[in-house]
Amino acid sequence: MSSPHFEALAAKAEAHHRRIRNSGDQQQVLEAARECAGIYAAMGDRVKESDFLYDMGKSQVLTGAYAAAFETAGRLLAFARTDGDPVFKAQVLILRAAALRNQSRHEEAVDTARLALDVMANVQDSYDARAEVYQGIIACLVEADQIVEAWVLHNQLSATLEHVEDTLLAGQGFWTLGNLAFATDQVDEGVAYHQLATDRLQQVNDIHMWARFNNASADVQLQAGVASQRTEDCIARAQLAYDIIGGSPVELLGLAGTRAKWYMANGRLEEASRLLQNAVAEAYGTGAPEDASVHVLWSQILHALGRTHAAERESERAVRIERSAGC
């Protein structure tokens, strides 16, 4: 039901959504998208409603609300639009695959991502959507430990990114390719792809994304055995970004873990231990959930320092956290 009243509400809600989208606070973005979707549902505008439901689903993935994102994708697949718009259908399927992947439902995630790729088979151009689909299926294959099959697709994604004008999407694509290269022990290619991602993401007005990328880039380098000055530069950039935007306790604890790994790889064990001790106390003091992986890392550092009793204490704490989380 369209009316001047609803049209005014929709315009105001959309303006708010555009403003908040650049803040990096995905919970606020989610709520703004939910408000827009609700208004357009009341107006009977199913296309606009589906656009904002899709935005809502993406924010649900980024905030860790994976079951909700799966439900949102299911709602979208019931829209008549998905039958007549293959690009939108493929994007919704990739959203659903991401929700499944993050719930460790890897076989379903891969099957869903393959379906998205099939949907795009007869679509000409649409490079942005094709890049999203390739990124999505590669992420699902990597999480399913099908690294070789994921690498087979890297040329398709790389070639598609040459036609992508969206700087953020291109940066995320090269980020994905870098992670994949590191996972296949192709360190030089991983570094090169992450540099391409850096060149693009630093142009995007999204400090939160910049922080997450640099922390993740450093972490994947460390997993691949790279603990160079380049790796520390990534950590420093992430720290600076979080200093500006005020990262959440969970994000700051994650960054502390990455820096502790760098210290550990460079033989600076005492600094690594002190960093984690302070980071854990600060994070838990502000209400962040306990993180088993941090205590496992701290235990490893303490063992290397010869502090067996303290190492066993942290190892036991990690087990208790995992049990309480039902792992």
Side-chain angles (χ1 to χ4, degrees):
M1 177 178 59
S2 182
S3 70
H5 171 68
F6 274 117
E7 288 172 3
L9 282 178
K12 182 178 179 181
E14 279 207 54
H16 175 65
H17 181 261
R18 283 194 297 273
R19 285 194 302 271
I20 209 70
R21 191 166 49 194
N22 294 325
S23 72
D25 187 331
Q26 287 300 322
Q27 187 60 46
Q28 290 190 44
V29 175
L30 191 162
E31 295 306 326
R34 192 195 307 278
E35 181 181 6
C36 290
I39 292 170
Y40 282 115
M43 293 173 66
D45 189 333
R46 298 283 279 171
V47 172
K48 279 285 195 177
E49 180 190 0
S50 62
D51 282 339
F52 284 104
L53 282 175
Y54 176 65
D55 283 349
M56 193 176 86
K58 290 194 293 185
S59 292
Q60 285 168 331
V61 169
L62 290 172
T63 56
Y66 306 125
F70 179 78
E71 182 180 341
T72 298
R75 287 176 62 189
L76 285 166
L77 289 171
F79 275 59
R81 176 183 178 183
T82 56
D83 292 329
D85 186 343
V87 169
F88 184 69
K89 182 175 183 178
Q91 291 174 315
V92 172
L93 286 167
I94 286 300
L95 171 63
R96 192 177 204 184
L100 288 164
R101 171 170 57 83
N102 283 288
Q103 294 178 85
S104 299
R105 296 164 64 178
H106 298 308
E107 186 175 339
E108 294 173 84
V110 169
D111 288 345
T112 303
R114 288 191 200 283
L115 182 56
L117 195 58
D118 290 342
V119 169
M120 289 296 295
N122 297 318
V123 176
Q124 299 300 316
D125 300 325
S126 297
Y127 294 111
D128 287 10
R130 196 174 300 279
E132 288 183 58
V133 170
Y134 278 129
Q135 287 182 60
I137 192 169
I138 286 171
C140 289
L141 288 167
V142 169
E143 288 289 330
D145 203 26
Q146 298 180 37
I147 306 296
V148 174
E149 188 171 353
W151 183 252
V152 170
L153 295 172
H154 91 279
N155 281 331
Q156 287 95 315
L157 175 55
S158 182
T160 302
L161 290 173
E162 293 178 9
H163 302 280
V164 171
E165 296 182 1
D166 185 317
T167 306
L168 174 59
L169 180 60
Q172 291 172 324
F174 287 120
W175 180 357
T176 296
L177 287 172
N179 291 348
L180 178 57
F182 279 117
T184 55
D185 296 323
Q186 301 185 66
V187 173
D188 290 344
E189 287 199 52
V191 170
Y193 278 132
H194 273 195
Q195 185 58 54
L196 289 171
T198 298
D199 294 342
R200 284 152 181 81
L201 292 176
Q202 66 185 355
Q203 301 173 37
V204 178
N205 185 27
D206 188 337
I207 299 177
H208 205 143
M209 174 69 74
W210 182 240
R212 287 173 52 244
F213 164 68
N214 278 286
N215 184 31
S217 181
D219 192 58
V220 78
Q221 289 177 51
L222 289 163
Q223 291 178 43
V226 178
S228 63
Q229 183 61 50
R230 183 193 299 272
T231 313
E232 188 183 24
D233 289 345
C234 287
I235 296 170
R237 288 196 292 266
Q239 184 65 64
L240 177 59
Y242 281 131
D243 287 345
I244 293 170
I245 62 175
S248 71
V250 171
E251 290 168 329
L252 295 179
L253 182 59
L255 180 59
T258 303
R259 182 173 284 282
K261 292 175 191 174
W262 189 87
Y263 281 149
M264 189 179 183
N266 284 279
R268 296 163 63 175
L269 299 176
E270 288 287 359
E271 289 173 270
S273 182
R274 284 197 299 272
L275 174 66
L276 288 185
Q277 183 177 12
N278 293 334
V280 164
E282 185 171 344
Y284 296 170
T286 55
E290 293 187 312
D291 187 332
S293 65
V294 172
H295 293 282
V296 169
L297 175 61
W298 195 5
S299 176
Q300 293 169 347
I301 292 166
L302 290 166
H303 266 299
L305 285 167
R307 299 173 190 167
T308 306
H309 179 71
E312 290 176 352
R313 178 198 65 212
E314 294 308 318
S315 181
E316 289 169 0
R317 189 170 183 180
V319 170
R320 287 198 301 272
I321 295 169
E322 289 175 343
R323 284 176 179 165
S324 65
C327 298

